[in-house]
Amino acid sequence: MESAGCSAAAVRTRDMESQRDLSLVPERLQRREQERQLEVERRKQKRQNQEVEEEKRDFFTAAFARERAAVEELLEGAGSVELLEEAASRLQGLQKLLNDSVLFLAAYDLRQRQEALVRLQAALAERRQELQPKKRFAFKTRRKDAASSTKVGAAPGIPPAVESIQDSPLPQKAEGDFGSSWVCGFSNLESQVLEKRASELHQRDVLLTELSNCTVKLYGNPNTLRLTKAHGCKLLCGPVSTSVFLEDCSDCVLAVACQQLRIHSTKDTRIFLQVTSRAIVEDCSGIQFAPYTWSYPEIDKDFESSGLDRSKNNWNDVDDFNWLARDMASPNWSVLPEEERSIQWD
């Protein structure tokens, strides 16, 4: 009897366990179904995100091509300052469109469109120069008491009026006369302190080239800034409405605020930067970045004139076109340590 009772108890226990297992089946199935639905939703969301990115790229590609064609057409047929100003305005819109696309464009596509934009900006500057009126040649008026006199050492047979033009000095390159009222700057200078005030460079294109051991201070709001072939220079510049370009520079210190910064073939240079888009380096080494710290009277007014968002600064968001590895930092640029950022600008 006792053995039969034990056997019956064991059977009841097994039945209870089986019933419990059966009761858990719906719970496991429900959990698996939830997991399956979550995975389906995750894949759906991923696919939707990809479609959104593709739509953004398609929209940008079409908009960029359309605006680029419009600017090229304006530049080709521009016969007046008004048409050039319209081309410049649309070019700024093209720059903004490109800035808004950096988050979803591949590095190669971004580089191609940046180069197209640089070519358009160069073509605009060239057309502006072509439309500048040529200076008229005129003889200087001589005083009546000198008209009848002959200058000592003058060559025989040369009238005094012509002689006065021959003796007049050539304009100095330090004055920044680049043949266009839209372009100003300095070139071929060494160990000098150079300045331009706001009234001289407002919304103009600034070109600085072949400078050595110079300090350049640009107070105001240029349209673009280009620094090429500079060595051992210090450049301080107010807010630039569009782009700053550096090329073939070394051992320089810069303080610049701009919409976009492009650096090419430059080494061992520190840049104190405010940029609303991002910086791009190519074929560079030893570039260090820190936040923009230069200040001067009227800088708030110049920022307002430039259209830059002063609260937005991507100074350490840098693209290196020579370094495509995403899991490792580029060796060609770095963040300047805080203890090395103290610098006397004046």
Side-chain angles (χ1 to χ4, degrees):
M1 289 291 293
E2 185 178 351
S3 175
C6 290
S7 177
V11 169
R12 286 196 299 270
T13 300
R14 284 196 298 272
D15 291 343
M16 291 176 62
E17 289 176 351
S18 298
Q19 291 175 0
R20 187 172 63 251
D21 291 341
L22 288 173
S23 67
L24 292 176
V25 168
E27 183 179 344
R28 288 198 296 267
L29 290 176
Q30 185 178 11
R31 187 166 58 249
R32 289 178 182 176
E33 177 63 17
Q34 289 175 346
E35 292 173 353
R36 187 190 69 79
Q37 291 178 356
L38 287 174
E39 179 65 18
V40 169
E41 185 63 27
R42 187 188 66 80
R43 292 181 179 180
K44 179 181 177 181
Q45 186 64 44
K46 182 179 179 180
R47 185 168 62 252
Q48 289 177 345
N49 291 340
Q50 289 175 343
E51 290 174 355
V52 169
E53 291 298 315
E54 290 173 359
E55 289 177 0
K56 287 181 180 179
R57 282 194 293 270
D58 292 343
F59 171 81
F60 166 77
T61 300
F64 188 90
R66 182 175 62 252
E67 288 300 306
R68 176 182 176 180
V71 173
E72 289 174 343
E73 184 177 353
L74 284 169
L75 291 176
E76 289 175 1
S80 66
V81 174
E82 289 76 13
L83 286 177
L84 279 185
E85 287 309 302
E86 183 180 350
S89 177
R90 300 194 75 150
L91 197 54
Q92 286 189 352
L94 200 59
Q95 175 73 68
K96 186 178 184 304
L97 182 66
L98 187 59
N99 292 341
D100 293 340
S101 70
V102 295
L103 296 179
F104 55 82
L105 271 187
Y108 175 80
D109 294 332
L110 181 63
R111 177 180 178 180
Q112 293 297 310
R113 285 162 176 81
Q114 287 287 359
E115 291 175 351
L117 197 61
V118 170
R119 288 193 294 270
L120 288 175
Q121 288 171 335
L124 175 63
E126 183 179 348
R127 292 293 292 135
R128 278 173 167 169
Q129 184 172 350
E130 291 173 356
L131 285 180
Q132 295 306 306
K134 299 293 187 295
K135 293 182 179 180
R136 293 185 176 180
F137 179 83
F139 292 108
K140 291 184 178 179
T141 303
R142 297 181 65 93
R143 291 183 304 173
K144 186 175 180 180
D145 58 353
S148 59
S149 63
T150 303
K151 187 174 180 180
V152 177
I158 299 181
V162 176
E163 180 186 315
S164 68
I165 294 175
Q166 285 185 338
D167 292 339
S168 63
L170 293 173
Q172 297 297 313
K173 287 187 178 181
E175 294 299 323
D177 183 4
F178 290 90
S180 170
S181 64
W182 294 101
V183 182
C184 64
F186 302 100
S187 65
N188 295 287
L189 295 170
E190 183 176 355
S191 303
Q192 295 194 33
V193 177
L194 310 167
E195 289 188 6
K196 281 196 176 294
R197 314 304 299 186
S199 59
E200 299 177 87
L201 52 78
H202 179 70
Q203 284 301 305
R204 297 174 71 183
D205 300 323
V206 179
L207 174 61
L208 308 171
T209 181
E210 297 189 58
L211 303 179
S212 178
N213 299 314
C214 290
T215 296
V216 184
K217 298 180 181 180
L218 305 175
Y219 301 93
N221 166 220
N223 180 49
T224 64
L225 170 63
R226 183 181 294 270
L227 176 66
T228 66
K229 299 179 181 178
H231 174 74
C233 292
K234 180 189 291 186
L235 168 62
L236 314 177
C237 184
V240 179
S241 291
T242 57
S243 299
V244 173
F245 303 94
L246 272 68
E247 188 170 18
D248 293 333
C249 298
S250 61
D251 299 302
C252 293
V253 178
L254 288 80
V256 292
C258 58
Q259 191 177 68
Q260 183 188 56
L261 173 66
R262 182 75 178 267
I263 312 170
H264 187 263
S265 301
T266 293
K267 63 180 182 179
D268 303 328
T269 292
R270 291 177 291 164
I271 302 174
F272 293 78
L273 176 65
Q274 171 137 1
V275 61
T276 57
S277 176
R278 64 176 59 186
I280 297 173
V281 299
E282 185 176 16
D283 299 330
C284 296
S285 63
I287 309 297
Q288 293 182 298
F289 292 95
Y292 184 77
T293 56
W294 189 47
S295 185
Y296 57 89
E298 305 292 328
I299 192 172
D300 293 336
K301 179 180 177 181
D302 292 332
F303 263 103
E304 184 177 352
S305 171
S306 71
L308 299 178
D309 183 355
R310 199 169 185 181
S311 65
K312 186 176 182 181
N313 190 3
N314 300 320
W315 63 272
N316 58 350
D317 186 3
V318 182
D319 277 342
D320 185 352
F321 283 168
N322 297 110
W323 189 259
L324 301 179
R326 295 183 178 273
D327 57 343
M328 188 178 299
S330 166
N332 300 317
W333 71 272
S334 62
V335 171
L336 185 67
E338 291 191 15
E339 61 271 17
E340 298 179 24
R341 296 179 189 177
S342 297
I343 186 168
Q344 295 295 325
W345 295 119
D346 297 322

